[in-house]
Amino acid sequence: MGYLMLAGAIAAEVAATTAMKYSEGFSRLGPSLVTALGYLVSFALLARTLKSVQIGTAYAIWSGAGTATIAVLGLLLFGEGLNTTKVAGILLIIGGVVVLNLGGASH
């Protein structure tokens, strides 16, 4: 159940960050409200996750998955460029999350 809440926290964080881009510096009300609500939900779900998942593991997955997803959405939605360095960074994030999970498997 903890990992299901963590997935929700990641989804809410990604939605909030994407809405922040659309808020145009918090000058548009709708996306600004989605940003605030998304981060509130994300932190609430992350806090609940920490009842059953180790903090290092949960935070690594939350931040790593969120960062990698936002990088991909930047490519797809906002036309951001893709280069070798960006691909390497995303792969390192994923690798780091995997290594932390392997090291934190016992609870």
Side-chain angles (χ1 to χ4, degrees), residues 15-89:
T17 303
T18 304
M20 188 185 309
K21 175 71 173 172
Y22 286 113
S23 78
E24 297 178 11
F26 295 114
S27 64
R28 296 180 60 216
L29 181 61
S32 298
L33 292 174
V34 171
T35 299
L37 180 62
Y39 281 121
L40 181 68
V41 169
S42 181
F43 282 119
L45 289 173
L46 182 59
R48 296 276 318 249
T49 298
L50 296 179
K51 290 182 176 183
S52 60
V53 179
Q54 293 180 357
I55 189 169
T57 301
Y59 189 74
I61 294 169
W62 180 78
S63 61
T67 300
T69 303
I70 288 297
V72 170
L73 288 176
L75 296 168
L76 298 175
L77 298 177
F78 305 113
E80 295 179 358
L82 180 66
N83 58 36
T84 306
T85 305
K86 190 175 277 191
V87 170

